[in-house]
């Protein structure tokens, strides 16, 4: 999913239909089957691998698909949220660890900016949920975060996909 999302983001001439057509030309029928779902669900609006992985985990946990990159305007300031569940009035933010570990600048400043942004967003949303790579890829913490913020489950869990993800990409 992350690769397909990135391909769509980087090349505006691509579409999910084109990616699916290319996939159908592959020799391996097993490979074609495994790629169909991520290619069909790919979305250029996902801005990072963390957002792509989070989207998969959200679906596999049984939550409703969120609206991606919802924009809110407050006093002339535009804030874009990664995941929006309008029915629950919950905005979800997949925050990479680099934002707060000092790699991209002063982490205290980044936390202050996040707080100020969350305060602005509180005029539009009931709550803002934040998570990072570990919460998404080990999935139980993301489930707890979303349920704790009031996002309801709407489908059964895809346990096999979740466990496969955890084995493949979770931190060791």
């Amino acid at each position: 999913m992350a690769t397909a999302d990135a391909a769509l983001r980087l090349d505006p001439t691509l579409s999910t239909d084109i990616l699916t057509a290319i996939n159908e030309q592959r020799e391996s029928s097993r490979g074609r089957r495994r790629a169909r779902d991520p290619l069909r669900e790919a979305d250029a609006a996902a801005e990072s691998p963390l957002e792509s992985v989070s989207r998969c985990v959200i679906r596999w946990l049984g939550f409703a698909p969120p609206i991606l990159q919802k924009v809110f305007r407050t006093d002339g300031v535009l804030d874009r949220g990664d995941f929006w569940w309008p029915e629950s009035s919950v905005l979800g933010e997949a925050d990479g660890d680099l934002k707060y570990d000092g790699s991209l600048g002063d982490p205290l400043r980044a936390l202050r900016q996040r707080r100020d942004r969350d305060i602005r967003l509180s005029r539009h949303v009931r709550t803002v949920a934040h998570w990072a790579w570990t919460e998404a890829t080990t999935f139980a913490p993301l489930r707890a975060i979303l349920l704790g913020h009031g996002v309801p489950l709407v489908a059964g869990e895809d346990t096999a996909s979740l466990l496969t993800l955890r084995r493949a990409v979770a931190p060791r």
Side-chain angles (χ1 to χ4, degrees):
M1 180 75 76
T3 302
D5 287 349
L8 292 176
R9 194 170 51 254
L10 293 171
D11 185 347
T13 65
L14 286 179
S15 67
T16 56
D17 291 338
I18 291 171
L19 292 176
T20 301
I22 292 168
N23 181 58
E24 293 306 315
Q25 297 171 11
R26 296 172 62 191
E27 281 188 40
S28 167
S29 62
R30 180 173 181 255
R32 285 193 307 270
R33 279 193 311 274
R34 292 193 68 182
R36 282 181 186 136
D37 187 45
L39 294 176
R40 185 176 49 252
E41 298 293 325
D43 192 326
E47 295 180 326
S48 70
L50 173 57
E51 289 182 26
S52 299
V53 169
S54 294
R55 211 165 81 246
C56 292
V57 172
I58 287 165
R59 184 179 45 164
W60 294 335
L61 285 170
F63 293 101
I67 295 168
L68 302 182
Q69 306 306 327
K70 172 69 175 165
V71 176
F72 298 91
R73 179 186 299 272
T74 311
D75 300 329
V77 177
L78 295 180
D79 291 305
R80 189 177 65 246
D82 298 331
F83 303 94
W84 169 235
W85 288 274
E87 322 74 43
S88 308
S89 192
V90 175
L91 187 67
E93 288 294 307
D95 296 325
D97 292 331
L98 292 176
K99 190 183 287 186
Y100 305 110
D101 74 357
S103 299
L104 301 176
D106 180 16
L108 187 55
R109 182 169 186 247
L111 286 169
R112 282 188 193 118
Q113 288 174 333
R114 173 177 139 171
R115 181 199 61 215
D116 293 345
R117 180 175 180 270
D118 285 358
I119 290 169
R120 279 193 309 274
L121 287 167
S122 70
R123 296 184 185 179
H124 307 281
V125 306
R126 186 176 51 76
T127 186
V128 181
H130 294 270
W131 64 87
W133 185 259
T134 300
E135 290 82 18
T137 59
T138 57
F139 67 83
L142 182 54
R143 178 192 304 114
I145 289 167
L146 294 178
L147 287 172
H149 282 276
V151 179
L153 292 168
V154 298
E157 181 179 284
D158 181 348
T159 307
S161 294
L162 290 167
L163 293 175
T164 299
L165 171 77
R166 183 163 53 195
R167 281 191 304 275
V169 299
R172 307 259 184 263

Coordinates of all heavy atoms in Angstrom, one line a residue, residues 1 4-5 8 15-43 55-56 59-60:
M1 N 0.8 -1.2 0.0 CA 0.0 0.0 0.0 C 0.9 1.3 0.0 O 0.6 2.2 -0.7 CB -0.9 0.0 1.2 CG -1.8 1.2 1.3 SD -3.2 1.2 0.2 CE -4.2 0.0 1.0
A4 N 2.3 1.8 -3.4 CA 1.3 2.2 -4.4 C 0.9 3.7 -4.1 O 0.7 4.5 -5.1 CB 0.1 1.3 -4.4
D5 N 0.7 4.0 -2.9 CA 0.4 5.4 -2.5 C 1.4 6.4 -3.0 O 1.2 7.4 -3.6 CB 0.2 5.6 -1.0 CG -1.1 4.9 -0.4 OD1 -2.0 4.5 -1.2 OD2 -1.2 4.9 0.8
L8 N 1.4 6.8 -6.8 CA 0.4 7.8 -7.2 C 0.7 9.2 -6.9 O 0.4 10.1 -7.6 CB -1.0 7.4 -6.6 CG -1.6 6.1 -7.0 CD1 -2.8 5.7 -6.2 CD2 -1.9 6.1 -8.5
S15 N -2.9 6.0 -12.1 CA -4.1 5.9 -11.4 C -4.2 4.4 -10.8 O -3.4 3.6 -11.2 CB -5.3 6.1 -12.4 OG -5.4 5.0 -13.3
T16 N -5.2 4.2 -10.0 CA -5.3 2.8 -9.5 C -5.6 1.9 -10.6 O -5.2 0.7 -10.6 CB -6.4 2.8 -8.4 OG1 -7.6 3.3 -8.9 CG2 -5.9 3.5 -7.1
D17 N -6.4 2.3 -11.6 CA -6.7 1.5 -12.7 C -5.5 1.1 -13.5 O -5.3 -0.1 -13.9 CB -7.7 2.2 -13.7 CG -9.1 2.3 -13.1 OD1 -9.4 1.6 -12.2 OD2 -9.8 3.2 -13.5
I18 N -4.6 2.0 -13.7 CA -3.3 1.8 -14.4 C -2.4 0.8 -13.6 O -1.9 -0.2 -14.2 CB -2.5 3.1 -14.8 CG1 -3.3 3.9 -15.8 CG2 -1.1 2.8 -15.2 CD1 -2.7 5.3 -16.0
L19 N -2.3 1.0 -12.3 CA -1.5 0.1 -11.5 C -2.1 -1.3 -11.5 O -1.4 -2.3 -11.6 CB -1.4 0.7 -10.1 CG -0.6 1.9 -9.9 CD1 -0.7 2.4 -8.4 CD2 0.8 1.8 -10.3
T20 N -3.4 -1.4 -11.5 CA -4.1 -2.7 -11.5 C -3.9 -3.4 -12.8 O -3.6 -4.6 -12.9 CB -5.6 -2.5 -11.2 OG1 -5.7 -1.9 -9.9 CG2 -6.3 -3.8 -11.2
A21 N -3.9 -2.6 -13.9 CA -3.7 -3.2 -15.2 C -2.3 -3.7 -15.4 O -2.0 -4.8 -15.9 CB -4.0 -2.2 -16.3
I22 N -1.3 -3.0 -14.9 CA 0.1 -3.4 -14.9 C 0.2 -4.7 -14.1 O 0.9 -5.6 -14.5 CB 1.0 -2.3 -14.4 CG1 1.1 -1.1 -15.4 CG2 2.4 -2.8 -14.1 CD1 1.7 0.1 -14.8
N23 N -0.4 -4.7 -12.9 CA -0.3 -5.9 -12.1 C -0.9 -7.1 -12.7 O -0.3 -8.2 -12.6 CB -1.1 -5.6 -10.8 CG -1.1 -6.8 -9.8 OD1 0.0 -7.2 -9.4 ND2 -2.2 -7.3 -9.5
E24 N -1.9 -7.0 -13.5 CA -2.6 -8.1 -14.1 C -1.7 -8.7 -15.2 O -1.9 -9.8 -15.7 CB -3.9 -7.7 -14.7 CG -5.0 -7.4 -13.6 CD -5.1 -8.5 -12.6 OE1 -5.2 -9.7 -13.0 OE2 -5.1 -8.2 -11.4
Q25 N -0.6 -8.0 -15.6 CA 0.3 -8.6 -16.6 C 1.4 -9.4 -16.0 O 2.2 -10.0 -16.7 CB 0.9 -7.4 -17.4 CG -0.1 -6.7 -18.2 CD 0.4 -5.4 -18.9 OE1 1.6 -5.2 -18.9 NE2 -0.4 -4.6 -19.4
R26 N 1.5 -9.4 -14.7 CA 2.5 -10.2 -14.0 C 2.4 -11.7 -14.2 O 1.2 -12.2 -14.3 CB 2.5 -9.9 -12.5 CG 2.8 -8.4 -12.2 CD 2.6 -8.1 -10.7 NE 3.5 -8.8 -9.9 CZ 3.4 -8.9 -8.6 NH1 2.4 -8.2 -8.0 NH2 4.2 -9.6 -7.9
E27 N 3.5 -12.4 -14.2 CA 3.4 -13.9 -14.4 C 2.8 -14.6 -13.2 O 2.0 -15.5 -13.4 CB 4.8 -14.4 -14.7 CG 5.3 -14.2 -16.1 CD 6.6 -14.9 -16.4 OE1 6.7 -16.1 -15.9 OE2 7.4 -14.3 -17.0
S28 N 3.2 -14.2 -12.0 CA 2.7 -14.9 -10.8 C 1.3 -14.6 -10.5 O 0.9 -13.5 -10.1 CB 3.6 -14.5 -9.6 OG 3.1 -15.0 -8.4
S29 N 0.4 -15.7 -10.5 CA -1.0 -15.4 -10.2 C -1.1 -15.1 -8.7 O -1.9 -14.3 -8.3 CB -1.8 -16.7 -10.5 OG -1.4 -17.8 -9.8
R30 N -0.2 -15.7 -7.8 CA -0.2 -15.4 -6.4 C 0.2 -14.0 -6.2 O -0.5 -13.3 -5.4 CB 0.7 -16.4 -5.7 CG 0.8 -16.1 -4.2 CD 1.6 -17.2 -3.5 NE 1.6 -16.9 -2.0 CZ 2.6 -16.4 -1.4 NH1 3.7 -16.1 -2.0 NH2 2.5 -16.2 -0.1
G31 N 1.2 -13.5 -6.9 CA 1.6 -12.1 -6.7 C 0.5 -11.2 -7.2 O 0.3 -10.1 -6.5
R32 N -0.2 -11.5 -8.3 CA -1.3 -10.7 -8.8 C -2.4 -10.6 -7.7 O -2.9 -9.5 -7.4 CB -1.9 -11.2 -10.1 CG -1.0 -11.0 -11.3 CD -1.8 -11.2 -12.6 NE -2.4 -12.6 -12.6 CZ -1.8 -13.7 -13.1 NH1 -0.6 -13.6 -13.6 NH2 -2.5 -14.8 -13.1
R33 N -2.8 -11.7 -7.1 CA -3.8 -11.7 -6.1 C -3.5 -10.9 -4.9 O -4.3 -10.2 -4.4 CB -4.1 -13.2 -5.7 CG -5.0 -13.9 -6.6 CD -5.5 -15.2 -6.0 NE -4.5 -16.0 -5.4 CZ -3.7 -16.9 -6.0 NH1 -3.9 -17.2 -7.3 NH2 -2.8 -17.6 -5.4
R34 N -2.2 -11.1 -4.4 CA -1.8 -10.3 -3.2 C -1.7 -8.8 -3.4 O -1.9 -8.1 -2.5 CB -0.4 -10.9 -2.8 CG -0.6 -12.3 -2.3 CD 0.6 -12.7 -1.5 NE 0.7 -12.0 -0.3 CZ 1.7 -12.1 0.6 NH1 2.6 -12.9 0.4 NH2 1.7 -11.4 1.7
A35 N -1.5 -8.4 -4.7 CA -1.3 -7.0 -5.0 C -2.6 -6.3 -5.3 O -2.7 -5.1 -5.2 CB -0.3 -6.8 -6.1
R36 N -3.6 -7.0 -5.6 CA -4.9 -6.4 -6.1 C -5.5 -5.5 -5.0 O -5.9 -4.3 -5.4 CB -5.9 -7.5 -6.5 CG -5.6 -8.1 -7.8 CD -6.7 -9.1 -8.2 NE -6.3 -9.8 -9.4 CZ -6.3 -11.1 -9.7 NH1 -6.7 -11.9 -8.8 NH2 -5.9 -11.5 -10.8
D37 N -5.6 -5.9 -3.8 CA -6.3 -5.1 -2.8 C -5.5 -3.8 -2.5 O -6.1 -2.7 -2.6 CB -6.5 -5.9 -1.5 CG -7.3 -5.1 -0.5 OD1 -8.3 -4.6 -0.8 OD2 -6.9 -5.1 0.7
P38 N -4.2 -3.9 -2.3 CA -3.5 -2.6 -2.0 C -3.5 -1.7 -3.3 O -3.6 -0.4 -3.1 CB -2.0 -3.0 -1.8 CG -2.1 -4.5 -1.4 CD -3.4 -5.0 -2.0
L39 N -3.5 -2.2 -4.4 CA -3.5 -1.4 -5.6 C -4.9 -0.7 -5.8 O -5.0 0.4 -6.2 CB -3.1 -2.2 -6.9 CG -1.7 -2.7 -6.9 CD1 -1.4 -3.5 -8.2 CD2 -0.7 -1.5 -6.9
R40 N -5.9 -1.5 -5.5 CA -7.3 -0.9 -5.6 C -7.5 0.2 -4.6 O -8.2 1.1 -4.8 CB -8.3 -2.1 -5.5 CG -9.7 -1.7 -5.7 CD -10.7 -2.9 -5.6 NE -10.5 -3.7 -4.4 CZ -9.9 -5.0 -4.5 NH1 -9.6 -5.5 -5.6 NH2 -9.8 -5.7 -3.4
E41 N -6.9 0.0 -3.4 CA -7.1 1.0 -2.3 C -6.1 2.1 -2.2 O -6.2 3.0 -1.4 CB -7.1 0.2 -0.9 CG -8.1 -0.9 -0.8 CD -9.5 -0.3 -0.7 OE1 -9.7 0.8 -0.1 OE2 -10.5 -0.9 -1.2
A42 N -5.1 2.1 -3.1 CA -4.1 3.1 -3.1 C -4.7 4.5 -3.2 O -5.7 4.7 -3.9 CB -3.1 2.9 -4.2
D43 N -4.0 5.5 -2.6 CA -4.5 6.9 -2.6 C -3.3 7.8 -2.4 O -2.6 7.7 -1.5 CB -5.5 7.0 -1.4 CG -6.3 8.3 -1.4 OD1 -5.7 9.3 -1.9 OD2 -7.4 8.3 -0.9
R55 N -3.5 3.5 7.5 CA -4.8 3.3 6.8 C -5.1 1.8 6.7 O -6.3 1.4 6.9 CB -4.7 3.9 5.4 CG -6.0 4.4 4.9 CD -5.9 5.3 3.7 NE -5.7 4.6 2.5 CZ -4.6 4.6 1.8 NH1 -3.6 5.3 2.1 NH2 -4.6 3.9 0.7
C56 N -4.1 1.0 6.4 CA -4.3 -0.5 6.4 C -4.8 -1.0 7.7 O -5.7 -1.8 7.8 CB -3.1 -1.2 5.9 SG -2.6 -0.9 4.2
R59 N -8.3 -0.2 8.7 CA -9.3 -1.0 8.1 C -9.3 -2.4 8.6 O -10.3 -3.0 8.9 CB -9.0 -1.1 6.6 CG -10.0 -1.9 5.8 CD -9.7 -1.9 4.3 NE -8.3 -2.1 4.1 CZ -7.8 -2.5 3.0 NH1 -8.5 -2.6 1.9 NH2 -6.5 -2.7 2.9
W60 N -8.1 -3.0 8.8 CA -8.0 -4.4 9.3 C -8.5 -4.5 10.8 O -8.9 -5.6 11.2 CB -6.5 -4.9 9.2 CG -6.1 -5.0 7.8 CD1 -6.8 -5.2 6.7 CD2 -4.7 -5.0 7.4 NE1 -6.0 -5.3 5.6 CE2 -4.7 -5.2 6.0 CE3 -3.5 -4.8 8.1 CZ2 -3.5 -5.2 5.3 CZ3 -2.3 -4.8 7.3 CH2 -2.3 -5.0 5.9

